[in-house]
Amino acid sequence: NAGVTQTPKFRVLKTGQSMTLLCAQDMNHEYMYWYRQDPGMGLRLIHYSVGEGTTAKGEVPDGYNVSRLKKQNFLLGLESAAPSQTSVYFCASSPSVPEAFFGQGTRLTVV
Amino acid sequence: LAKTTQPISMDSYEGQEVNITCSHNNIATNDYITWYQQFPSQGPRFIIQGYKTKVTNEVASLFIPADRKSSTLSLPRVSLSDTAVYYCLVGAYLTGGGNKLTFGTGTQLKVEL
């Protein structure tokens, strides 16, 4: 089992560009989450999903969109990247709260 | 979700026992207490969870007093590899509805020789 896999691991974007981060899990988990982590700070929840076809807003959803068309995948989209979105993004999945499994992270830089 | 308060940082030496206390004064009846560990450049890793009294696994122990307004993560005989950020989370299990894992800023534990 691969667990939770995030693609890509690193990315540099220019301001205004768009991109999609992919999170894939092979554990058949119902719940999936997207977080961002900035230097010296804890994780902040962007969006989450409690099942295929459902999404919900977290603490910092502005500037991001998500989709969960398939149970195993949770996509995070940035329609028009801004320097404030420079961060490390973590995806997680869980069979039930609170034990979640995290991916290795995506380091995104917006210049 | 109940708000949690934990120390920003702690220092220890190899071989010592480390206790990190988390305050959660407004914990709800259905809330569980969970601790995660995060190493630099990695995602958090689940350590332990509990509801009341004491829970022990191969990594740590979790002590929860009767009023459940605080909890203490105990790491026995720490080593350099235990240097990490430790997060305390409080929340209920999902029961078909929506819920979310909310992380605070955590406690940076530094273990030295």
Side-chain angles (χ1 to χ4, degrees):
Chain A
N1 285 346
V4 178
T5 303
Q6 293 183 228
T7 308
K9 292 184 174 57
F10 303 92
R11 185 72 185 269
V12 178
L13 282 180
K14 293 182 179 179
T15 298
Q17 286 185 320
S18 64
M19 79 163 293
T20 300
L21 281 66
L22 171 64
C23 177
Q25 53 99 359
D26 61 3
M27 297 172 282
N28 201 36
H29 289 167
E30 289 293 334
Y31 313 116
M32 297 188 74
Y33 315 83
W34 273 108
Y35 292 88
R36 62 176 288 174
Q37 185 171 37
D38 300 307
M41 298 182 67
L43 285 81
R44 291 185 291 172
L45 183 64
I46 305 171
H47 286 281
Y48 64 104
S49 169
V50 299
E52 181 179 315
T54 73
T55 63
K57 293 181 180 180
E59 304 168 77
V60 289
D62 294 342
Y64 305 95
N65 57 74
V66 288
S67 64
R68 184 115 181 255
L69 299 180
K70 294 183 179 181
K71 186 177 183 179
Q72 63 268 34
N73 295 335
F74 196 28
L75 278 63
L76 178 70
L78 286 73
E79 291 187 348
S80 180
S84 61
Q85 293 177 304
T86 293
S87 189
V88 179
Y89 292 84
F90 288 102
C91 174
S93 71
S94 69
S96 65
V97 172
E99 183 173 0
F101 298 82
F102 283 78
Q104 76 278 27
T106 295
R107 188 172 296 275
L108 175 66
T109 302
V110 183
V111 297
Chain B
L1 293 175
K3 179 181 171 62
T4 61
T5 302
Q6 52 184 124
I8 294 174
S9 64
M10 296 182 69
D11 294 327
S12 184
Y13 294 96
E14 275 201 319
Q16 290 190 333
E17 178 184 75
V18 171
N19 295 310
I20 306 174
T21 297
C22 179
S23 298
H24 27 80
N25 292 321
N26 59 339
I27 188 169
T29 303
N30 294 331
D31 286 343
Y32 281 73
I33 299 155
T34 313
W35 286 81
Y36 281 78
Q37 175 191 57
Q38 185 180 26
F39 297 114
S41 301
Q42 295 186 25
R45 181 176 75 104
F46 172 87
I47 301 176
I48 196 167
Q49 70 182 37
Y51 185 78
K52 61 181 178 180
T53 62
K54 176 184 174 182
V55 179
T56 298
N57 62 22
E58 64 278 5
V59 176
S61 294
L62 179 59
F63 298 91
I64 305 169
D67 66 6
R68 302 198 331 120
K69 294 184 182 300
S70 67
S71 59
T72 299
L73 175 72
S74 181
L75 304 172
R77 297 178 297 282
V78 295
S79 65
L80 293 176
S81 62
D82 291 314
T83 294
V85 178
Y86 292 83
Y87 296 97
C88 167
L89 284 73
V90 175
Y93 278 107
L94 282 161
T95 55
N99 207 334
K100 46 188 179 283
L101 293 171
T102 302
F103 286 77
T105 53
T107 297
Q108 172 68 63
L109 173 64
K110 182 179 180 182
V111 180
E112 299 175 290
L113 288 173

